[in-house]
mmCIF file of all heavy atoms in Angstrom:
data_model
loop_
_atom_site.group_PDB
_atom_site.id
_atom_site.type_symbol
_atom_site.label_atom_id
_atom_site.label_comp_id
_atom_site.label_asym_id
_atom_site.label_seq_id
_atom_site.Cartn_x
_atom_site.Cartn_y
_atom_site.Cartn_z
ATOM 1 N N SER A 1 -4.070 -5.488 -8.531
ATOM 2 C CA SER A 1 -4.163 -5.812 -7.166
ATOM 3 C C SER A 1 -2.855 -5.520 -6.404
ATOM 4 O O SER A 1 -1.756 -5.713 -6.941
ATOM 5 C CB SER A 1 -4.489 -7.325 -6.946
ATOM 6 O OG SER A 1 -5.748 -7.570 -7.511
ATOM 7 N N ARG A 2 -2.981 -5.073 -5.199
ATOM 8 C CA ARG A 2 -1.809 -4.783 -4.334
ATOM 9 C C ARG A 2 -2.184 -5.243 -2.931
ATOM 10 O O ARG A 2 -3.205 -4.814 -2.362
ATOM 11 C CB ARG A 2 -1.518 -3.288 -4.349
ATOM 12 C CG ARG A 2 -0.419 -2.868 -3.473
ATOM 13 C CD ARG A 2 0.925 -3.288 -4.061
ATOM 14 N NE ARG A 2 1.238 -2.561 -5.245
ATOM 15 C CZ ARG A 2 2.153 -2.943 -6.159
ATOM 16 N NH1 ARG A 2 2.774 -4.072 -5.996
ATOM 17 N NH2 ARG A 2 2.393 -2.183 -7.211
ATOM 18 N N ASN A 3 -1.309 -6.117 -2.391
ATOM 19 C CA ASN A 3 -1.563 -6.543 -1.000
ATOM 20 C C ASN A 3 -0.976 -5.546 -0.067
ATOM 21 O O ASN A 3 0.103 -4.959 -0.289
ATOM 22 C CB ASN A 3 -0.920 -7.907 -0.773
ATOM 23 C CG ASN A 3 -1.633 -9.014 -1.508
ATOM 24 O OD1 ASN A 3 -2.814 -8.977 -1.681
ATOM 25 N ND2 ASN A 3 -0.883 -10.045 -1.970
ATOM 26 N N LEU A 4 -1.654 -5.313 1.080
ATOM 27 C CA LEU A 4 -1.205 -4.385 2.073
ATOM 28 C C LEU A 4 -1.505 -4.967 3.455
ATOM 29 O O LEU A 4 -2.618 -5.442 3.723
ATOM 30 C CB LEU A 4 -1.904 -3.043 1.972
ATOM 31 C CG LEU A 4 -1.546 -1.984 3.021
ATOM 32 C CD1 LEU A 4 -0.125 -1.462 2.755
ATOM 33 C CD2 LEU A 4 -2.523 -0.810 2.995
ATOM 34 N N THR A 5 -0.490 -5.065 4.271
ATOM 35 C CA THR A 5 -0.687 -5.579 5.634
ATOM 36 C C THR A 5 -1.012 -4.398 6.543
ATOM 37 O O THR A 5 -0.280 -3.439 6.660
ATOM 38 C CB THR A 5 0.543 -6.270 6.187
ATOM 39 O OG1 THR A 5 0.846 -7.453 5.337
ATOM 40 C CG2 THR A 5 0.374 -6.841 7.592
ATOM 41 N N THR A 6 -2.171 -4.482 7.172
ATOM 42 C CA THR A 6 -2.563 -3.401 8.082
ATOM 43 C C THR A 6 -2.711 -4.016 9.486
ATOM 44 O O THR A 6 -2.547 -5.205 9.707
ATOM 45 C CB THR A 6 -3.976 -2.863 7.685
ATOM 46 O OG1 THR A 6 -4.996 -3.766 8.045
ATOM 47 C CG2 THR A 6 -4.006 -2.544 6.196
ATOM 48 N N THR A 7 -2.964 -3.151 10.477
ATOM 49 C CA THR A 7 -3.140 -3.653 11.821
ATOM 50 C C THR A 7 -4.418 -4.505 12.008
ATOM 51 O O THR A 7 -4.600 -5.092 13.030
ATOM 52 C CB THR A 7 -3.216 -2.452 12.823
ATOM 53 O OG1 THR A 7 -4.145 -1.505 12.328
ATOM 54 C CG2 THR A 7 -1.854 -1.793 12.960
ATOM 55 N N SER A 8 -5.247 -4.554 10.957
ATOM 56 C CA SER A 8 -6.421 -5.385 10.998
ATOM 57 C C SER A 8 -6.265 -6.680 10.240
ATOM 58 O O SER A 8 -7.169 -7.493 10.128
ATOM 59 C CB SER A 8 -7.628 -4.595 10.416
ATOM 60 O OG SER A 8 -7.896 -3.423 11.147
ATOM 61 N N GLY A 9 -5.095 -6.867 9.566
ATOM 62 C CA GLY A 9 -4.807 -8.027 8.811
ATOM 63 C C GLY A 9 -4.511 -7.661 7.361
ATOM 64 O O GLY A 9 -4.466 -6.542 7.008
ATOM 65 N N ASP A 10 -4.284 -8.721 6.532
ATOM 66 C CA ASP A 10 -3.944 -8.516 5.141
ATOM 67 C C ASP A 10 -5.190 -8.056 4.366
ATOM 68 O O ASP A 10 -6.288 -8.711 4.505
ATOM 69 C CB ASP A 10 -3.423 -9.808 4.505
ATOM 70 C CG ASP A 10 -1.945 -9.983 4.874
ATOM 71 O OD1 ASP A 10 -1.340 -9.093 5.479
ATOM 72 O OD2 ASP A 10 -1.355 -11.042 4.536
ATOM 73 N N VAL A 11 -5.047 -7.073 3.544
ATOM 74 C CA VAL A 11 -6.139 -6.643 2.672
ATOM 75 C C VAL A 11 -5.657 -6.574 1.252
ATOM 76 O O VAL A 11 -4.457 -6.401 1.004
ATOM 77 C CB VAL A 11 -6.698 -5.265 3.096
ATOM 78 C CG1 VAL A 11 -7.300 -5.327 4.504
ATOM 79 C CG2 VAL A 11 -5.673 -4.186 2.964
ATOM 80 N N THR A 12 -6.560 -6.781 0.288
ATOM 81 C CA THR A 12 -6.292 -6.689 -1.117
ATOM 82 C C THR A 12 -6.800 -5.415 -1.673
ATOM 83 O O THR A 12 -8.070 -5.190 -1.660
ATOM 84 C CB THR A 12 -6.842 -7.907 -1.903
ATOM 85 O OG1 THR A 12 -6.327 -9.124 -1.340
ATOM 86 C CG2 THR A 12 -6.495 -7.806 -3.410
ATOM 87 N N LEU A 13 -5.957 -4.563 -2.152
ATOM 88 C CA LEU A 13 -6.357 -3.250 -2.706
ATOM 89 C C LEU A 13 -6.513 -3.351 -4.199
ATOM 90 O O LEU A 13 -5.667 -4.001 -4.884
ATOM 91 C CB LEU A 13 -5.329 -2.205 -2.395
ATOM 92 C CG LEU A 13 -5.061 -1.903 -0.889
ATOM 93 C CD1 LEU A 13 -4.039 -0.786 -0.767
ATOM 94 C CD2 LEU A 13 -6.352 -1.492 -0.214
ATOM 95 N N LYS A 14 -7.567 -2.820 -4.765
ATOM 96 C CA LYS A 14 -7.820 -2.799 -6.189
ATOM 97 C C LYS A 14 -7.456 -1.358 -6.630
ATOM 98 O O LYS A 14 -8.274 -0.451 -6.600
ATOM 99 C CB LYS A 14 -9.262 -3.119 -6.495
ATOM 100 C CG LYS A 14 -9.630 -4.518 -6.188
ATOM 101 C CD LYS A 14 -11.086 -4.818 -6.490
ATOM 102 C CE LYS A 14 -11.460 -6.237 -6.115
ATOM 103 N NZ LYS A 14 -12.923 -6.562 -6.393
ATOM 104 N N VAL A 15 -6.201 -1.197 -7.069
ATOM 105 C CA VAL A 15 -5.723 0.093 -7.460
ATOM 106 C C VAL A 15 -6.090 0.466 -8.855
ATOM 107 O O VAL A 15 -5.755 -0.343 -9.757
ATOM 108 C CB VAL A 15 -4.168 0.171 -7.279
ATOM 109 C CG1 VAL A 15 -3.665 1.603 -7.553
ATOM 110 C CG2 VAL A 15 -3.799 -0.295 -5.881
ATOM 111 N N PRO A 16 -6.797 1.569 -9.095
ATOM 112 C CA PRO A 16 -7.223 1.863 -10.420
ATOM 113 C C PRO A 16 -6.040 2.204 -11.376
ATOM 114 O O PRO A 16 -5.041 2.808 -10.971
ATOM 115 C CB PRO A 16 -8.069 3.213 -10.210
ATOM 116 C CG PRO A 16 -8.468 3.125 -8.764
ATOM 117 C CD PRO A 16 -7.327 2.503 -8.036
ATOM 118 N N ARG A 17 -6.152 1.675 -12.613
ATOM 119 C CA ARG A 17 -5.225 2.025 -13.680
ATOM 120 C C ARG A 17 -5.836 3.121 -14.518
ATOM 121 O O ARG A 17 -6.973 3.038 -14.900
ATOM 122 C CB ARG A 17 -4.937 0.827 -14.563
ATOM 123 C CG ARG A 17 -3.912 -0.159 -14.048
ATOM 124 C CD ARG A 17 -3.393 -1.035 -15.139
ATOM 125 N NE ARG A 17 -2.350 -1.938 -14.681
ATOM 126 C CZ ARG A 17 -2.551 -3.195 -14.354
ATOM 127 N NH1 ARG A 17 -3.770 -3.710 -14.361
ATOM 128 N NH2 ARG A 17 -1.532 -3.941 -13.964
ATOM 129 N N LEU A 18 -5.068 4.174 -14.787
ATOM 130 C CA LEU A 18 -5.612 5.294 -15.577
ATOM 131 C C LEU A 18 -4.781 5.484 -16.812
ATOM 132 O O LEU A 18 -3.546 5.251 -16.849
ATOM 133 C CB LEU A 18 -5.572 6.538 -14.759
ATOM 134 C CG LEU A 18 -6.332 6.563 -13.408
ATOM 135 C CD1 LEU A 18 -6.191 7.911 -12.734
ATOM 136 C CD2 LEU A 18 -7.783 6.238 -13.591
ATOM 137 N N LYS A 19 -5.454 5.916 -17.894
ATOM 138 C CA LYS A 19 -4.758 6.293 -19.163
ATOM 139 C C LYS A 19 -4.775 7.804 -19.300
ATOM 140 O O LYS A 19 -5.858 8.449 -19.055
ATOM 141 C CB LYS A 19 -5.451 5.629 -20.348
ATOM 142 C CG LYS A 19 -5.181 4.126 -20.491
ATOM 143 C CD LYS A 19 -5.785 3.628 -21.770
ATOM 144 C CE LYS A 19 -5.430 2.120 -21.958
ATOM 145 N NZ LYS A 19 -6.007 1.640 -23.220
ATOM 146 N N GLY A 20 -3.668 8.357 -19.718
ATOM 147 C CA GLY A 20 -3.650 9.815 -19.956
ATOM 148 C C GLY A 20 -3.350 10.593 -18.668
ATOM 149 O O GLY A 20 -3.256 11.832 -18.800
ATOM 150 N N ILE A 21 -3.240 9.948 -17.589
ATOM 151 C CA ILE A 21 -2.917 10.666 -16.346
ATOM 152 C C ILE A 21 -2.339 9.618 -15.328
ATOM 153 O O ILE A 21 -2.737 8.439 -15.350
ATOM 154 C CB ILE A 21 -4.185 11.325 -15.782
ATOM 155 C CG1 ILE A 21 -3.869 12.180 -14.493
ATOM 156 C CG2 ILE A 21 -5.238 10.233 -15.397
ATOM 157 C CD1 ILE A 21 -5.084 13.004 -14.027
ATOM 158 N N SER A 22 -1.351 10.036 -14.588
ATOM 159 C CA SER A 22 -0.768 9.122 -13.605
ATOM 160 C C SER A 22 -1.582 9.099 -12.313
ATOM 161 O O SER A 22 -2.145 10.204 -11.929
ATOM 162 C CB SER A 22 0.667 9.516 -13.268
ATOM 163 O OG SER A 22 0.705 10.817 -12.701
ATOM 164 N N PHE A 23 -1.719 7.971 -11.719
ATOM 165 C CA PHE A 23 -2.502 7.820 -10.528
ATOM 166 C C PHE A 23 -1.587 7.845 -9.288
ATOM 167 O O PHE A 23 -0.863 6.904 -9.023
ATOM 168 C CB PHE A 23 -3.295 6.536 -10.506
ATOM 169 C CG PHE A 23 -4.162 6.346 -9.272
ATOM 170 C CD1 PHE A 23 -5.181 7.282 -8.970
ATOM 171 C CD2 PHE A 23 -3.999 5.249 -8.462
ATOM 172 C CE1 PHE A 23 -5.965 7.116 -7.862
ATOM 173 C CE2 PHE A 23 -4.806 5.068 -7.337
ATOM 174 C CZ PHE A 23 -5.772 5.981 -7.027
ATOM 175 N N GLU A 24 -1.580 8.989 -8.623
ATOM 176 C CA GLU A 24 -0.788 9.133 -7.396
ATOM 177 C C GLU A 24 -1.710 9.130 -6.197
ATOM 178 O O GLU A 24 -2.563 10.001 -6.112
ATOM 179 C CB GLU A 24 0.037 10.401 -7.411
ATOM 180 C CG GLU A 24 1.062 10.535 -8.530
ATOM 181 C CD GLU A 24 2.204 9.548 -8.333
ATOM 182 O OE1 GLU A 24 2.428 9.102 -7.170
ATOM 183 O OE2 GLU A 24 2.936 9.281 -9.316
ATOM 184 N N THR A 25 -1.599 8.079 -5.358
ATOM 185 C CA THR A 25 -2.534 8.025 -4.268
ATOM 186 C C THR A 25 -1.955 8.415 -2.911
ATOM 187 O O THR A 25 -0.772 8.159 -2.630
ATOM 188 C CB THR A 25 -3.096 6.569 -4.138
ATOM 189 O OG1 THR A 25 -3.902 6.427 -2.952
ATOM 190 C CG2 THR A 25 -1.957 5.515 -4.064
ATOM 191 N N ALA A 26 -2.774 9.022 -2.122
ATOM 192 C CA ALA A 26 -2.334 9.393 -0.749
ATOM 193 C C ALA A 26 -2.613 8.226 0.192
ATOM 194 O O ALA A 26 -2.186 8.289 1.352
ATOM 195 C CB ALA A 26 -2.954 10.661 -0.326
ATOM 196 N N ILE A 27 -3.376 7.259 -0.270
ATOM 197 C CA ILE A 27 -3.783 6.139 0.582
ATOM 198 C C ILE A 27 -2.603 5.208 0.875
ATOM 199 O O ILE A 27 -2.319 4.783 1.955
ATOM 200 C CB ILE A 27 -4.939 5.337 -0.068
ATOM 201 C CG1 ILE A 27 -6.092 6.256 -0.363
ATOM 202 C CG2 ILE A 27 -5.348 4.206 0.928
ATOM 203 C CD1 ILE A 27 -6.673 6.979 0.829
ATOM 204 N N ILE A 28 -1.868 4.904 -0.179
ATOM 205 C CA ILE A 28 -0.670 4.049 -0.008
ATOM 206 C C ILE A 28 0.530 4.638 -0.782
ATOM 207 O O ILE A 28 0.258 5.306 -1.814
ATOM 208 C CB ILE A 28 -0.868 2.608 -0.476
ATOM 209 C CG1 ILE A 28 -1.335 2.586 -1.914
ATOM 210 C CG2 ILE A 28 -1.840 1.853 0.423
ATOM 211 C CD1 ILE A 28 -1.373 1.246 -2.573
ATOM 212 N N GLU A 29 1.685 4.452 -0.314
ATOM 213 C CA GLU A 29 2.845 4.870 -1.073
ATOM 214 C C GLU A 29 3.080 3.857 -2.165
ATOM 215 O O GLU A 29 2.782 2.659 -2.033
ATOM 216 C CB GLU A 29 4.079 4.964 -0.189
ATOM 217 C CG GLU A 29 3.985 5.951 0.942
ATOM 218 C CD GLU A 29 5.195 5.873 1.882
ATOM 219 O OE1 GLU A 29 6.180 5.269 1.465
ATOM 220 O OE2 GLU A 29 5.039 6.400 2.999
ATOM 221 N N ARG A 30 3.626 4.297 -3.291
ATOM 222 C CA ARG A 30 3.821 3.367 -4.417
ATOM 223 C C ARG A 30 4.798 2.236 -3.983
ATOM 224 O O ARG A 30 5.859 2.478 -3.410
ATOM 225 C CB ARG A 30 4.435 4.111 -5.610
ATOM 226 C CG ARG A 30 4.363 3.368 -6.902
ATOM 227 C CD ARG A 30 4.855 4.282 -8.011
ATOM 228 N NE ARG A 30 4.663 3.567 -9.302
ATOM 229 C CZ ARG A 30 5.035 4.062 -10.465
ATOM 230 N NH1 ARG A 30 5.677 5.228 -10.472
ATOM 231 N NH2 ARG A 30 4.850 3.407 -11.544
ATOM 232 N N TYR A 31 4.408 1.007 -4.336
ATOM 233 C CA TYR A 31 5.144 -0.231 -4.013
ATOM 234 C C TYR A 31 5.283 -0.524 -2.532
ATOM 235 O O TYR A 31 6.013 -1.458 -2.146
ATOM 236 C CB TYR A 31 6.574 -0.164 -4.639
ATOM 237 C CG TYR A 31 6.548 0.063 -6.081
ATOM 238 C CD1 TYR A 31 7.263 1.141 -6.630
ATOM 239 C CD2 TYR A 31 5.881 -0.752 -6.974
ATOM 240 C CE1 TYR A 31 7.270 1.392 -7.966
ATOM 241 C CE2 TYR A 31 5.866 -0.465 -8.309
ATOM 242 C CZ TYR A 31 6.562 0.600 -8.822
ATOM 243 O OH TYR A 31 6.546 0.827 -10.139
ATOM 244 N N ARG A 32 4.574 0.208 -1.669
ATOM 245 C CA ARG A 32 4.684 -0.053 -0.253
ATOM 246 C C ARG A 32 3.686 -1.097 0.114
ATOM 247 O O ARG A 32 2.509 -0.988 -0.107
ATOM 248 C CB ARG A 32 4.407 1.225 0.575
ATOM 249 C CG ARG A 32 4.637 1.003 2.087
ATOM 250 C CD ARG A 32 4.602 2.314 2.784
ATOM 251 N NE ARG A 32 4.744 2.214 4.194
ATOM 252 C CZ ARG A 32 5.915 2.024 4.789
ATOM 253 N NH1 ARG A 32 6.992 1.926 4.158
ATOM 254 N NH2 ARG A 32 5.926 1.912 6.124
ATOM 255 N N ARG A 33 4.177 -2.212 0.796
ATOM 256 C CA ARG A 33 3.332 -3.353 1.079
ATOM 257 C C ARG A 33 2.826 -3.286 2.539
ATOM 258 O O ARG A 33 1.921 -4.005 2.949
ATOM 259 C CB ARG A 33 4.046 -4.677 0.892
ATOM 260 C CG ARG A 33 4.629 -4.901 -0.515
ATOM 261 C CD ARG A 33 3.525 -5.107 -1.507
ATOM 262 N NE ARG A 33 4.006 -5.789 -2.659
ATOM 263 C CZ ARG A 33 4.601 -5.251 -3.696
ATOM 264 N NH1 ARG A 33 4.872 -3.979 -3.639
ATOM 265 N NH2 ARG A 33 4.984 -5.961 -4.711
ATOM 266 N N ARG A 34 3.518 -2.537 3.393
ATOM 267 C CA ARG A 34 3.272 -2.717 4.826
ATOM 268 C C ARG A 34 2.990 -1.367 5.444
ATOM 269 O O ARG A 34 3.661 -0.362 5.218
ATOM 270 C CB ARG A 34 4.484 -3.286 5.518
ATOM 271 C CG ARG A 34 4.329 -3.515 7.015
ATOM 272 C CD ARG A 34 5.207 -4.556 7.536
ATOM 273 N NE ARG A 34 4.743 -5.864 7.183
ATOM 274 C CZ ARG A 34 5.221 -6.607 6.130
ATOM 275 N NH1 ARG A 34 6.239 -6.158 5.435
ATOM 276 N NH2 ARG A 34 4.708 -7.795 5.828
ATOM 277 N N GLU A 35 1.941 -1.304 6.215
ATOM 278 C CA GLU A 35 1.614 -0.107 6.929
ATOM 279 C C GLU A 35 2.687 0.252 7.929
ATOM 280 O O GLU A 35 3.311 -0.592 8.545
ATOM 281 C CB GLU A 35 0.272 -0.428 7.762
ATOM 282 C CG GLU A 35 -0.420 0.813 8.211
ATOM 283 C CD GLU A 35 -1.717 0.426 8.953
ATOM 284 O OE1 GLU A 35 -1.666 -0.503 9.719
ATOM 285 O OE2 GLU A 35 -2.715 1.089 8.701
ATOM 286 N N SER A 36 2.928 1.559 8.057
ATOM 287 C CA SER A 36 4.173 2.019 8.840
ATOM 288 C C SER A 36 4.026 1.584 10.282
ATOM 289 O O SER A 36 5.023 1.213 10.921
ATOM 290 C CB SER A 36 4.304 3.510 8.773
ATOM 291 O OG SER A 36 3.135 4.160 9.282
ATOM 292 N N SER A 37 2.821 1.515 10.797
ATOM 293 C CA SER A 37 2.666 1.126 12.233
ATOM 294 C C SER A 37 3.105 -0.293 12.439
ATOM 295 O O SER A 37 3.622 -0.668 13.486
ATOM 296 C CB SER A 37 1.219 1.314 12.662
ATOM 297 O OG SER A 37 0.340 0.486 11.942
ATOM 298 N N VAL A 38 2.825 -1.177 11.406
ATOM 299 C CA VAL A 38 3.206 -2.602 11.535
ATOM 300 C C VAL A 38 4.719 -2.725 11.567
ATOM 301 O O VAL A 38 5.339 -3.419 12.323
ATOM 302 C CB VAL A 38 2.601 -3.404 10.380
ATOM 303 C CG1 VAL A 38 3.046 -4.865 10.419
ATOM 304 C CG2 VAL A 38 1.067 -3.347 10.474
ATOM 305 N N GLU A 39 5.350 -1.981 10.595
ATOM 306 C CA GLU A 39 6.804 -2.047 10.475
ATOM 307 C C GLU A 39 7.530 -1.596 11.714
ATOM 308 O O GLU A 39 8.463 -2.178 12.273
ATOM 309 C CB GLU A 39 7.248 -1.205 9.265
ATOM 310 C CG GLU A 39 8.721 -1.334 8.921
ATOM 311 C CD GLU A 39 9.062 -0.693 7.605
ATOM 312 O OE1 GLU A 39 8.864 -1.276 6.567
ATOM 313 O OE2 GLU A 39 9.483 0.511 7.687
ATOM 314 N N GLU A 40 7.025 -0.423 12.239
ATOM 315 C CA GLU A 40 7.592 0.102 13.506
ATOM 316 C C GLU A 40 7.434 -0.856 14.683
ATOM 317 O O GLU A 40 8.296 -1.046 15.449
ATOM 318 C CB GLU A 40 6.953 1.453 13.825
ATOM 319 C CG GLU A 40 7.396 2.547 12.870
ATOM 320 C CD GLU A 40 6.568 3.797 13.032
ATOM 321 O OE1 GLU A 40 5.753 3.847 13.992
ATOM 322 O OE2 GLU A 40 6.691 4.726 12.215
ATOM 323 N N ALA A 41 6.272 -1.518 14.678
ATOM 324 C CA ALA A 41 5.999 -2.475 15.768
ATOM 325 C C ALA A 41 6.983 -3.679 15.694
ATOM 326 O O ALA A 41 7.488 -4.169 16.719
ATOM 327 C CB ALA A 41 4.610 -2.956 15.705
ATOM 328 N N LEU A 42 7.275 -4.122 14.454
ATOM 329 C CA LEU A 42 8.182 -5.236 14.286
ATOM 330 C C LEU A 42 9.564 -4.812 14.769
ATOM 331 O O LEU A 42 10.248 -5.630 15.380
ATOM 332 C CB LEU A 42 8.245 -5.630 12.833
ATOM 333 C CG LEU A 42 7.017 -6.370 12.243
ATOM 334 C CD1 LEU A 42 7.107 -6.514 10.750
ATOM 335 C CD2 LEU A 42 6.860 -7.717 12.934
ATOM 336 N N ILE A 43 10.020 -3.676 14.409
ATOM 337 C CA ILE A 43 11.349 -3.179 14.857
ATOM 338 C C ILE A 43 11.418 -3.065 16.355
ATOM 339 O O ILE A 43 12.399 -3.459 16.978
ATOM 340 C CB ILE A 43 11.669 -1.803 14.162
ATOM 341 C CG1 ILE A 43 11.872 -2.023 12.638
ATOM 342 C CG2 ILE A 43 12.951 -1.226 14.783
ATOM 343 C CD1 ILE A 43 12.098 -0.770 11.887
ATOM 344 N N GLU A 44 10.342 -2.561 16.968
ATOM 345 C CA GLU A 44 10.294 -2.369 18.415
ATOM 346 C C GLU A 44 10.351 -3.741 19.087
ATOM 347 O O GLU A 44 10.950 -3.921 20.112
ATOM 348 C CB GLU A 44 9.005 -1.653 18.858
ATOM 349 C CG GLU A 44 9.074 -0.136 18.530
ATOM 350 C CD GLU A 44 10.289 0.547 19.234
ATOM 351 O OE1 GLU A 44 10.560 0.242 20.401
ATOM 352 O OE2 GLU A 44 10.957 1.285 18.561
#
């Protein structure tokens, strides 16, 4: 499980674990918890 804060609220992502191959996702950056739009809005 990986929590991610989006502009729609907190969501729980079920990130697949794979054997024999690394899972690189374009949906979220590794270890990133916060959507960039949220972070930018906080700074602004």
Side-chain angles (χ1 to χ4, degrees):
S1 296
R2 177 73 69 198
N3 290 328
L4 179 69
T5 299
T6 75
T7 49
S8 301
D10 281 355
V11 298
T12 301
L13 300 180
K14 295 179 180 179
V15 184
R17 277 198 177 98
L18 303 180
K19 284 185 177 180
I21 186 173
S22 63
F23 181 60
E24 297 291 341
T25 174
I27 306 300
I28 56 170
E29 297 174 18
R30 195 175 186 184
Y31 305 123
R32 185 169 178 80
R33 305 290 203 279
R34 182 157 285 101
E35 195 177 45
S36 61
S37 62
V38 177
E39 188 171 276
E40 288 169 8
L42 288 171
I43 292 174
E44 285 303 315

